């Protein structure tokens, strides 16, 4: 199954989240059955990230958006923790600081976009400025309604500069959200996640769904698509996202860059250094020892 085709928000379509089952789990009957495939995908993501870093001509931006408790942190922990930290960064976007609020709404996001060779994950993102801002009436409709076009232009510019963009909305049901809130109450190790805003924001569920439907419909483009990922089952969420990332990165034409030095000259320098080391230490080098 090609999850890119299955879960993409097709450009120009009007999205209805009510028509997407958040409990969908595909062909696997359980997380245990899906685990080997998830592990293969994560290992392949690590290999592809190393190629991306070595190639140094492209980058990948992954955007994660969701209602509370849908699993953004879990995606980061389970799918990206195996990548080399030298070429991978994660940013969590919270309420803007005074400095950030003094600039245009894309200023803080643009500073954190990936350099060539990097993978960057946005845990929440510039989309908060057409979601939270809209739901809580923080700016007039005349302001936030113009931001969809600005976002599209911003992402188009990133794509033209060699950044591949993947945007994931983690789709859970209100029943599943409440069950996860219960887990936070019952598990002392998760108590720190509890927030008063969890419940006040939950009261605005319908408003958030409306805001997400319009945002995803108006900003899913060919080069920066949105994917709605059924996320009631954490394991299926991880499976679908990891497959989409692998399939996308394998299509980027990543290659090990050509050698930029004269290998014969370097080999000669190595053998000279090896011989000098043998002379100083009185011990044969690896080549002599093998002989």
């Amino acid at each position: 199954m090609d999850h890119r085709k299955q879960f993409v928000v097709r450009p120009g379509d009007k999205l209805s989240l009510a028509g997407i089952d958040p409990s969908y789990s595909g062909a696997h009957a359980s997380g245990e059955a899906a685990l080997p495939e998830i592990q293969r995908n994560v290992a392949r993501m690590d290999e592809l990230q190393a190629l991306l870093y070595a190639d140094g001509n492209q980058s990948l931006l992954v955007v994660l958006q969701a209602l509370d408790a849908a699993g953004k942190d879990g995606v980061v922990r389970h799918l990206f923790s195996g990548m080399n930290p030298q070429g991978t960064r994660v940013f969590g976007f919270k309420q803007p600081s005074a400095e950030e609020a003094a600039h245009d709404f894309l200023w803080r996001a643009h500073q954190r976009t990936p350099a060539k060779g990097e993978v960057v994950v946005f845990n929440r993102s510039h989309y908060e400025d057409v979601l939270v801002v809209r739901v809580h009436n923080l700016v007039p409709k005349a302001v936030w309604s113009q931001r969809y076009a600005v976002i599209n232009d911003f992402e188009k510019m990133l794509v033209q500069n060699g950044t591949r963009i993947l945007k994931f909305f983690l789709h859970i049901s209100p029943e599943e959200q409440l069950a996860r809130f219960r887990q936070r109450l019952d598990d002392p190790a998760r108590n720190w996640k509890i927030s008063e805003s969890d419940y006040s924001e939950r009261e605005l569920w319908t408003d958030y769904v409306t805001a997400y439907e319009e945002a995803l419909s108006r900003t899913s483009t060919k080069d920066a698509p949105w994917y709605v990922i059924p996320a009631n089952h954490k394991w299926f969420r991880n499976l679908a996202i990891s497959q989409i990332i692998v399939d996308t990165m394998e299509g980027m034409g990543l290659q090990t860059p050509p050698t930029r030095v004269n290998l014969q000259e370097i080999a000669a320098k190595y053998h000279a250094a090896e011989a000098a080391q043998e002379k100083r230490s009185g011990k044969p080098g690896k080549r002599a020892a093998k002989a």
Side-chain angles (χ1 to χ4, degrees):
M1 176 65 70
D2 186 345
H3 291 318
R4 289 181 297 178
K5 292 181 179 178
Q6 185 178 15
F7 298 127
V8 71
V9 178
R10 289 187 294 271
D13 282 5
K14 187 174 181 180
L15 174 67
S16 173
L17 289 172
I20 301 173
D21 180 8
S23 292
Y24 177 83
S25 58
H28 294 291
S30 66
E32 184 178 4
L35 184 59
E37 186 174 350
I38 296 171
Q39 291 174 331
R40 287 194 299 270
N41 287 345
V42 171
R44 183 59 177 151
M45 283 170 58
D46 181 40
E47 294 171 354
L48 290 164
Q49 185 259 341
L51 274 179
L52 180 75
Y53 184 80
D55 184 70
N57 290 310
Q58 300 180 74
S59 58
L60 177 67
L61 174 61
V62 176
V63 174
L64 302 175
Q65 287 286 158
L67 292 164
D68 293 329
K72 299 181 300 298
D73 293 343
V75 169
V76 173
R77 182 171 65 254
H78 291 292
L79 301 187
F80 294 94
S81 58
M83 286 187 172
N84 188 332
Q86 285 191 111
T88 309
R89 293 183 291 143
V90 178
F91 294 104
F93 287 83
K94 301 184 183 299
Q95 183 174 345
S97 67
E99 180 183 20
E100 291 169 341
H103 291 79
D104 67 272
F105 80 97
L106 288 174
W107 182 77
R108 64 175 182 162
H110 201 165
Q111 292 186 91
R112 293 167 173 82
T113 56
K116 294 185 185 300
E118 286 188 330
V119 174
V120 166
V121 181
F122 282 1
N123 186 339
R124 299 192 187 274
S125 68
H126 46 294
Y127 282 93
E128 294 296 293
D129 286 280
V130 291
L131 296 167
V132 172
V133 164
R134 170 180 176 167
V135 171
H136 287 278
N137 298 310
L138 299 180
V139 300
K141 180 178 180 180
V143 174
W144 60 254
S145 63
Q146 296 182 47
R147 289 178 174 173
Y148 303 116
V150 176
I151 288 172
N152 285 338
D153 288 342
F154 169 62
E155 293 178 351
K156 181 178 180 181
M157 179 270 296
L158 294 179
V159 170
Q160 290 174 342
N161 194 49
T163 299
R164 189 66 61 94
I165 303 174
L166 296 174
K167 300 177 295 191
F168 299 101
F169 173 67
L170 312 185
H171 181 37
I172 62 169
S173 66
E175 295 82 8
E176 178 62 21
Q177 184 194 60
L178 195 60
R180 294 182 186 183
F181 285 173
R182 177 61 184 267
Q183 291 174 346
R184 292 178 179 182
L185 280 172
D186 292 344
D187 183 356
R190 300 185 188 186
N191 287 170
W192 67 271
K193 292 186 175 184
I194 298 172
S195 168
E196 292 282 354
S197 67
D198 290 343
Y199 297 91
S200 59
E201 293 295 275
R202 179 177 166 83
E203 293 298 316
L204 300 170
W205 185 281
T206 300
D207 294 332
Y208 271 110
V209 167
T210 299
Y212 267 111
E213 287 176 340
E214 183 167 8
L216 273 60
S217 296
R218 295 185 62 175
T219 61
S220 189
T221 64
K222 177 182 177 182
D223 292 321
W226 273 106
Y227 297 94
V228 177
I229 305 299
N232 275 5
H233 298 290
K234 297 176 182 179
W235 60 267
F236 182 77
R237 172 201 72 199
N238 295 340
L239 175 65
I241 291 176
S242 62
Q243 184 197 90
I244 290 170
I245 292 173
V246 167
D247 290 345
T248 298
M249 293 186 76
E250 286 183 339
M252 291 171 69
L254 302 171
Q255 296 181 358
T256 303
T259 303
R260 296 180 174 87
V261 297
N262 186 313
L263 284 178
Q264 290 183 330
E265 291 181 0
I266 294 298
K269 290 179 180 180
Y270 167 77
H271 293 310
E274 183 182 44
Q277 179 63 36
E278 290 177 16
K279 185 176 181 180
R280 285 194 298 270
S281 66
K283 297 179 181 179
K286 290 183 178 180
R287 184 179 57 178
K290 288 181 180 179

